[in-house]
Amino acid sequence: MLSGLGRLIHRRRWTSLVLILIMTGVAGAWGLGVFAKFKEGGFEDPDASSTLVAKLGATYFGSTNPDVLVLYSSDTMTVDDPRFEASVVTTIARLPKAQVDEIISYWSFNGEAARTFASHDRHSTFVAVKLKGKEGADKTENYHAVKDRMAAPGLDVRYGGSVPLGEEFGKQVVADIVRAETITALPLLILLVILFGAVMASVLPIVVAVFSTVGGLAVLHVVTYTADVTSFALEVVTMMGVGLAIDYSLFIISRFREELQRGMAAQGLPPGKPWKRERDKAARKAAKKAYRTALKPIREAALAATMATAGRTIMVSGITVSAALAGLLLFPQMFLRTIGLAGIATVMVAVFGATVLLPTLLALLGPRVEGGQMWWRRPTAKRARRDPESGFWYRLGHSVMKHPLPYFAVVLVILGVMFVPFLNVQFGSVDARVLPKGSPTRAVVETIKKDFPNGSVEPIDVVVSGDLIPRDWTPSGKGDPIPPYLEQFRKQLASLPGVTEAQFTGYSGSYGGVRISVTHKYEPMDQHAQDLVTKIRGLSLSKDGYPMHIDVGGSTAAQMDLMSSLMRSLPKMALVVGIATFVLLFMFFGSIVLPLKAIVMNVLSIGASFGAIVWGFQYGHLAGLLDFTPTGGVEATSMILILAVVFGLSMDYEVFLLSRIREEWDLTHDNRVAVASGMQHTGGIITSAALLFLLVIAAFSMAGITVVKLIGVGMFVAVVVDAALVRSLLVPATMRFMGAANWWLPGFLAGLHARMDLRERNALVPAGATVAPPRLPDEQPFPYAINWADATPPPTGAAPPNGHARPDIADPTGMRPAMPEPPLARQDPEPPSPNAPSAKAPVDVPRARRRPATNAAFQPAPQPGAGESPKLVFRTAPDDAGPGRPPQPEGAPWAPWADGPPQPAPRTAPRSRRVIVPNPDGSGWHWGEEQDAPNP
C-alpha cells in the first residue's frame, strides 16, 4: 500500500506540491487565530469538591482571588496620609461600572479588618478589583479598558492578579517559541549538514518542520472549538512538532538516498552530471535526456521502497506516539486533555509532512538531493569507501552480543541511581513563581506575600449548603442573629489545631449556602495544612436531624483533589496505553516478546528522567544554570504530561531500531547477525535524530516559564538515556539473552497476526532489476552445483532424444554465458563478468549471511516479459562439478550421477529438538520440532 503511495506521489509530484502549498497557506492564515482562543488554568479536577467551592465563590459569594490586584506605593507617604487616600480613592471611584464589578480597598473597612490591606511599613496598599465578564477574553478586554485609568497621581502603581498573570503567561509563551525557533534554526542547519553531508538534503527537514509548525497551529485552532485550550499547549505542540518532523525526515531522507544509490549502482548510472563529459552540445543534450529517462524508474522505485520501509515505520511510530498521548484524554483536567488532543493532531501533521510533503520534494529532486555535497560524502572519500561491517555501531552491536551481562548490569545500575531521587518526590501547584524572576506580575504577588499581614496565608474555604440555610439572613447585616448551629460550626472550625481564625465571608440566599474562611499558620502545601483539610472534610453538620453539605476548597484542598484525581486516572492511562502499544507492536513485529520488552525499556527511561527532574527542580540543583526559583516540589500534571510524551518518544526510537532488526532477521534468521546489522543501519541515524531533537528541546529548556523548563529537562534526559543507554546497550543485551525467543509467536496467535500484519507484503526491487528465484536450502542436496537459467531451445531437428540440448549444438562455443552474480549488500563488490548481458541488470538482494561456496551457484535468472511464462531449467554452475568429478562446461544441462550414482552414507537415528520455526503463512514464528541431520 505504502509503496503504491510512493509511486503515486512520484507520478503526481507537481500536483502534490501545488496542493500542499495551498494547504499550507490556508493553514497558516487559519492558525494565527489560535492566539485569541487560549484559556488559562485547567489544572483542577472539574468534579472535585474544591472546584465546586471555587465556582460558588465566583458565582455567588465573590471570588477570594480578585481579577486584578493594584499595588499603590509611596516612599514618602503612608496609607494614613490624606493625600495618599485622596489619590487612591479618587482614582478607583472614576472606574466605569461597565467594566468593573466590584472594588475592595483599605478604606472599605474599619479597624482590624483593614489591617491586611496595608503593608507592615504602611507605605503600600493594594486594591482588589473584580472585572465584569464570564470568559477570560471578556475580562482581559475590560482590564485593558481600565488599566490606564487605575494609575493614581503621585504614587507608584503595579498590577497583579489572575488576569494580568494570565496575559503575561501567554506573552511569555509566544516569546519563548520565537526565541527557541530563532536560536535553533542555524545550529540545526549546521548539524544537519554535518549529518547528511549535503546542503540540499539538510534543508528538507527544516521545510518539513515549518510545515508541521504551521499545521500544528491550525489544528490547535480547530481544537479550541471543541475544548478549552491553555496557552501552555502551544509550547508543547511546537516542541513536539518540530522535533518529530526533523526525526521523521532524517529517516525518510537517509533511506531514500540509500535506495537511490543502490538502484543507480545496479543500473550502472554514475552520480552527478555525466552528460557534461560530452564535447558537443547535441551529444550533451542527448546524453542528458537518456540519463534522465533511465533514472526515472529508478527514482520511482527508490521512493516506493522508502515508503514501504521507512515510511511504514514512521506511520507506525506516529500511531504509537499518538496512542501514548491519547492516555492524556483519560484525565479530567482540561490542561492534560487539550494537550493530548493537540499533541495527537501535531504528531499526525508531522507524519503527513514526512510521508507526503517530503516524498514529494524527494520525487522532484531525485539525485539533486545530494546538492551542495560535502567532501566527506563524495564517493572518492575514505569514509564513503569504508567497509560497513567495520563501523562503530556494527562493532558495538557485536561487542554487546559477546558480553551482554556486563553491559546489562552497568546500564541497570546507572538507571537505578538516576531513579533514586524520585523516591522523595513532593508535588506542588502552579503559582506566580513559574514566571521569570523579573516579571512585574510575579513581583506584585511576592511583595504582597512578603510585606503585608497574612500575605502568605491562603485560607481554607468551607461552604455549608442545604435547604435549611435561612434565606433572609446575611452575616454582614448589623444586628442579624447568626443561626446557632452555624455559629457552633464556625467555633468548631476555629478550635482545630493550627487554625488562627474562622469567619463568615460570603452568603447566598439563592443558592442556600454560606462560606466560612479558615486561616491557619501553615504553608499551603505543608503536610499539616493537608491534614487540616482532611479533618474539616471529616466533620459533619446537621439541623433538626437533617444533614448539611460541607464542601472544602482553597489551594491546599485543590492540590489534594488534583493528586487524588491523577492517582485514580493514572492506572487507567497505563492500562489503555500499554494495551494499545502492545497491540500495535504485535501487529508490526509479529512477536509477543518484543512489545513487552519495549514497554519495560520505556518505563526505565521514564524513571531515569523523573529522577533527574526531582534532583534538578525539587532539590534546586539546576536553579542556577536554568535561572528559576525552586519551590520545593514539582508540578504534578507536568509529570503526567512528561510520562505520556517520553513514553511516546522512547517507543519512537524502539520502533526505528526493531523494525530494521526485524528486517535483518527475516533475511538471516540469525539473532546475533540481525541485531548487529540492525544497529549498524539505525544506530547512527537514531543517534543523529536524538541529537537534533535534543537541540530543539535544549532551546525550550531555556524558556522563561519554569514548567516548560521542567518538561524540557525531563524530555532531554529521557532522550539521552534512551539513545545512549537503552537503545544502544540495554536493548541488544536483552535480545542476546532471549535469542530466537525474541520472535516467538504462539500458534494460536499466528492467524490473528496474519489478519493484523502491518508489514509491507509486496516485494520491492529497483527498476530494471530481476527477481531472484525461491531460496534454496543452505545445505545443497545435489551432487552438482546448479543454478536457474533460461532454457535454450535447440535448432529445428537438432534436439537429442533425451530432450536435452547439446552444448555444441545449442551454442557453437559449447558454453552459455552465465548470469552475473548479484551484488550483495555489505559484501565487497566483485568485477562484473565480461559476458554479462547489458540489457538486464542483476537483482539487488541484501546479504543474509555468508553461505557456503556451493550456494553461490544459485544465480537469478531474467524475468519473462509481459504475457510470457518463465522457462527455467537446471544448469550446472561453471567449474563447480564437485571433488573427484570431471569439470562440467558452463551452462551444460544438469546430468545427475554422470559418474555413477552416489553411495548412501551410513545414518544414525535422528534426534528431535524444540526450535522456533516459521508459520506456514509467513505471518510469524512458533515453537516446533526439528529432526537433527543423521550422523554418518
Side-chain angles (χ1 to χ4, degrees):
M1 181 181 71
L2 291 179
S3 61
L5 176 62
R7 296 184 185 277
L8 177 64
I9 291 175
H10 182 271
R11 294 166 187 169
R12 299 289 184 267
R13 49 191 178 274
W14 287 108
T15 303
S16 175
L17 180 63
V18 171
L19 292 176
I20 291 175
L21 289 177
I22 295 174
M23 184 189 308
T24 304
V26 173
W30 171 257
L32 293 177
V34 72
F35 297 99
K37 297 286 187 177
F38 289 133
K39 304 280 181 70
E40 298 307 322
F43 296 92
E44 69 279 352
D45 180 359
D47 299 325
S49 173
S50 57
T51 306
L52 174 62
V53 171
K55 291 180 179 179
L56 292 176
T59 306
Y60 296 103
F61 306 127
S63 176
T64 56
N65 184 21
D67 297 322
V68 182
L69 284 174
V70 189
L71 182 64
Y72 296 100
S73 303
S74 174
D75 295 332
T76 58
M77 297 182 291
T78 65
V79 294
D80 303 312
D81 193 310
R83 294 173 298 171
F84 195 115
E85 178 183 0
S87 178
V88 175
V89 172
T90 304
T91 298
I92 61 178
R94 296 172 58 246
L95 296 179
K97 293 184 178 181
Q99 285 83 28
V100 177
D101 189 43
E102 184 182 7
I103 300 174
I104 302 176
S105 69
Y106 172 78
W107 296 276
S108 301
F109 302 94
N110 294 321
E112 187 67 18
R115 183 179 61 88
T116 58
F117 284 81
S119 62
H120 295 296
D121 61 4
R122 305 190 69 79
H123 282 274
S124 300
T125 185
F126 66 87
V127 175
V129 179
K130 184 178 179 181
L131 300 171
K132 288 189 175 181
K134 294 183 179 181
E135 299 292 333
D138 297 334
K139 291 190 175 184
T140 301
E141 183 180 353
N142 290 332
Y143 167 65
H144 285 289
V146 301
K147 179 179 179 181
D148 295 337
R149 303 182 66 172
M150 289 189 290
L155 300 177
D156 178 63
V157 183
R158 288 184 290 173
Y159 304 97
S162 60
V163 173
L165 182 67
E167 184 180 36
E168 185 176 353
F169 191 95
K171 290 181 178 179
Q172 186 65 49
V173 166
V174 176
D176 289 342
I177 292 175
V178 173
R179 180 174 58 182
E181 300 293 347
T182 304
I183 291 175
T184 58
L186 183 59
L188 270 178
L189 181 59
I190 294 174
L191 185 56
L192 285 168
V193 171
I194 295 174
L195 295 175
F196 280 126
V199 175
M200 183 60 70
S202 306
V203 174
L204 297 181
I206 297 180
V207 173
V208 178
V210 172
F211 172 82
S212 298
T213 303
V214 173
L217 291 177
V219 173
L220 196 61
H221 192 183
V222 174
V223 173
T224 59
Y225 285 90
T226 60
D228 293 337
V229 177
T230 174
S231 59
F232 183 77
L234 189 61
E235 294 214 41
V236 178
V237 165
T238 305
M239 185 192 309
M240 291 189 60
V242 174
L244 288 177
I246 293 177
D247 274 6
Y248 292 161
S249 300
L250 184 65
F251 278 84
I252 290 288
I253 295 173
S254 299
R255 190 62 184 250
F256 177 77
R257 296 167 86 189
E258 178 184 337
E259 297 291 341
L260 186 63
Q261 186 179 24
R262 181 182 301 166
M264 293 176 65
Q267 293 295 324
L269 292 180
K273 301 178 179 179
W275 59 84
K276 289 189 174 182
R277 301 171 187 170
E278 302 295 335
R279 295 186 177 181
D280 61 283
K281 184 177 180 180
R284 283 197 299 270
K285 184 176 180 180
K288 181 178 181 181
K289 183 177 180 180
Y291 184 87
R292 291 186 173 179
T293 301
L295 181 64
K296 185 176 179 180
I298 298 175
R299 185 173 58 190
E300 181 178 338
L303 192 60
T306 300
M307 292 295 293
T309 52
R312 174 175 50 90
T313 301
I314 285 172
M315 285 194 172
V316 173
S317 171
I319 295 174
T320 306
V321 176
S322 299
L325 292 173
L328 297 176
L329 304 180
L330 301 176
F331 290 89
Q333 286 75 19
M334 181 266 286
F335 170 76
L336 294 176
R337 292 170 63 89
T338 55
I339 288 185
L341 287 172
I344 292 172
T346 302
V347 172
M348 292 296 101
V349 171
V351 170
F352 179 85
T355 56
V356 178
L357 170 60
L358 186 56
T360 300
L361 299 176
L362 293 175
L364 292 170
L365 292 173
R368 292 192 295 272
V369 73
E370 301 287 352
Q373 197 174 67
M374 300 292 108
W375 67 89
W376 62 81
R377 175 71 183 174
R378 295 169 185 166
T380 56
K382 181 179 179 181
R383 178 179 176 183
R385 292 183 281 106
R386 185 185 304 164
D387 182 7
E389 295 189 2
S390 66
F392 168 77
W393 292 105
Y394 189 87
R395 288 184 280 109
L396 177 63
H398 273 293
S399 176
V400 176
M401 294 291 100
K402 188 176 181 180
H403 309 288
L405 185 58
Y407 283 104
F408 183 83
V410 170
V411 172
L412 279 187
V413 169
I414 295 175
L415 296 179
V417 171
M418 295 183 67
F419 176 76
V420 167
F422 185 68
L423 299 176
N424 298 320
V425 64
Q426 297 290 330
F427 294 105
S429 58
V430 175
D431 55 28
R433 289 176 293 180
V434 301
L435 292 172
K437 293 181 179 179
S439 164
T441 306
R442 173 181 171 178
V444 170
V445 176
E446 292 181 338
T447 298
I448 292 176
K449 285 189 174 183
K450 180 180 65 174
D451 297 340
F452 284 74
N454 299 327
S456 61
V457 174
E458 297 187 24
I460 299 173
D461 293 328
V462 182
V463 173
V464 179
S465 59
D467 291 339
L468 298 181
I469 294 293
R471 302 285 178 174
D472 56 352
W473 173 76
T474 57
S476 59
K478 296 181 179 180
D480 291 337
I482 300 176
Y485 68 95
L486 289 178
E487 177 63 20
Q488 182 180 359
F489 183 69
R490 186 196 66 79
K491 292 180 178 179
Q492 185 180 3
L493 293 174
S495 64
L496 293 175
V499 174
T500 58
E501 187 180 22
Q503 57 181 347
F504 295 104
T505 57
Y507 166 78
S508 172
S510 58
Y511 178 74
V514 295
R515 182 178 63 191
I516 304 174
S517 294
V518 179
T519 56
H520 52 85
K521 60 183 181 180
Y522 308 119
E523 289 295 325
M525 295 300 109
D526 189 88
Q527 185 60 43
H528 295 290
Q530 297 184 35
D531 294 339
L532 183 58
V533 171
T534 303
K535 290 180 181 178
I536 294 176
R537 286 179 168 172
L539 298 177
S540 60
L541 176 63
S542 62
K543 178 186 179 184
D544 300 331
Y546 293 94
M548 311 291 288
H549 296 285
I550 299 177
D551 295 295
V552 183
S555 59
T556 305
Q559 181 64 24
M560 294 173 63
D561 290 339
L562 172 63
M563 292 305 304
S564 177
S565 174
L566 295 179
M567 291 302 104
R568 288 195 308 269
S569 302
L570 187 59
K572 293 188 292 185
M573 173 192 176
L575 181 63
V576 171
V577 172
I579 292 176
T581 302
F582 178 87
V583 171
L584 285 170
L585 296 186
F586 167 76
M587 295 166 62
F588 191 44
F589 296 124
S591 167
I592 63 172
V593 175
L594 291 181
L596 294 175
K597 181 182 67 64
I599 292 173
V600 172
M601 296 294 121
N602 289 0
V603 171
L604 293 176
S605 299
I606 293 170
S609 65
F610 278 7
I613 289 172
V614 173
W615 180 84
F617 288 84
Q618 179 177 313
Y619 295 170
H621 293 296
L622 296 177
L625 177 64
L626 300 181
D627 190 26
F628 66 89
T629 303
T631 61
V634 293
E635 206 282 312
T637 55
S638 300
M639 300 295 282
I640 299 295
L641 176 61
I642 293 174
L643 173 65
V645 173
V646 169
F647 187 88
L649 291 177
S650 299
M651 195 61 69
D652 193 34
Y653 295 135
E654 181 84 8
V655 169
F656 289 151
L657 174 62
L658 292 184
S659 62
R660 197 59 184 257
I661 293 178
R662 175 66 199 233
E663 190 175 327
E664 298 294 329
W665 167 262
D666 288 338
L667 293 173
T668 66
H669 306 309
D670 186 317
N671 187 64
R672 298 183 63 175
V673 172
V675 173
S677 299
M679 288 186 63
Q680 169 64 21
H681 281 85
T682 60
I685 299 177
I686 290 177
T687 303
S688 302
L691 286 174
L692 294 169
F693 201 92
L694 289 176
L695 186 58
V696 175
I697 296 173
F700 283 95
S701 299
M702 303 297 174
I705 300 175
T706 304
V707 179
V708 179
K709 296 177 187 284
L710 184 147
I711 294 175
V713 169
M715 294 173 63
F716 188 95
V717 172
V719 171
V720 170
V721 169
D722 198 78
L725 297 178
V726 176
R727 305 301 156 211
S728 302
L729 303 177
L730 197 59
V731 169
T734 54
M735 295 192 74
R736 175 68 178 89
F737 288 145
M738 291 185 288
N742 287 300
W743 316 102
W744 176 56
L745 182 63
F748 68 93
L749 291 177
L752 176 63
H753 178 260
R755 293 188 294 270
M756 303 168 60
D757 197 352
L758 292 177
R759 290 176 295 170
E760 191 79 7
R761 309 304 289 179
N762 296 328
L764 295 171
V765 293
T770 58
V771 180
R775 179 185 172 188
L776 295 174
D778 291 340
E779 297 300 328
Q780 185 171 288
F782 307 107
Y784 296 95
I786 60 176
N787 69 335
W788 295 99
D790 281 335
T792 307
T796 304
N802 60 4
H804 292 292
R806 298 202 318 269
D808 55 342
I809 298 177
D811 190 350
T813 63
M815 301 287 289
R816 271 181 54 85
M819 291 296 296
E821 181 176 350
L824 302 178
R826 305 182 302 276
Q827 190 172 2
D828 295 333
E830 297 181 1
S833 169
N835 297 324
S838 59
K840 295 183 179 181
V843 66
D844 189 333
V845 182
R847 176 181 63 86
R849 65 171 78 172
R850 298 191 182 277
R851 299 186 174 91
T854 55
N855 275 354
F858 294 92
Q859 303 291 346
Q863 296 302 294
E868 299 180 7
S869 59
K871 300 175 182 179
L872 302 175
V873 297
F874 282 124
R875 292 191 179 279
T876 56
D879 300 326
D880 197 12
R885 298 183 179 91
Q888 299 290 321
E890 180 180 1
W894 177 50
W897 311 306
D899 54 348
Q903 299 298 320
R907 299 175 177 271
T908 60
R911 293 176 299 175
S912 62
R913 57 176 178 172
R914 285 178 59 82
V915 294
I916 293 179
V917 296
N919 294 327
D921 59 357
S923 61
W925 303 84
H926 66 274
W927 288 105
E929 300 289 337
E930 182 182 74
Q931 300 291 334
D932 286 340
N935 295 324

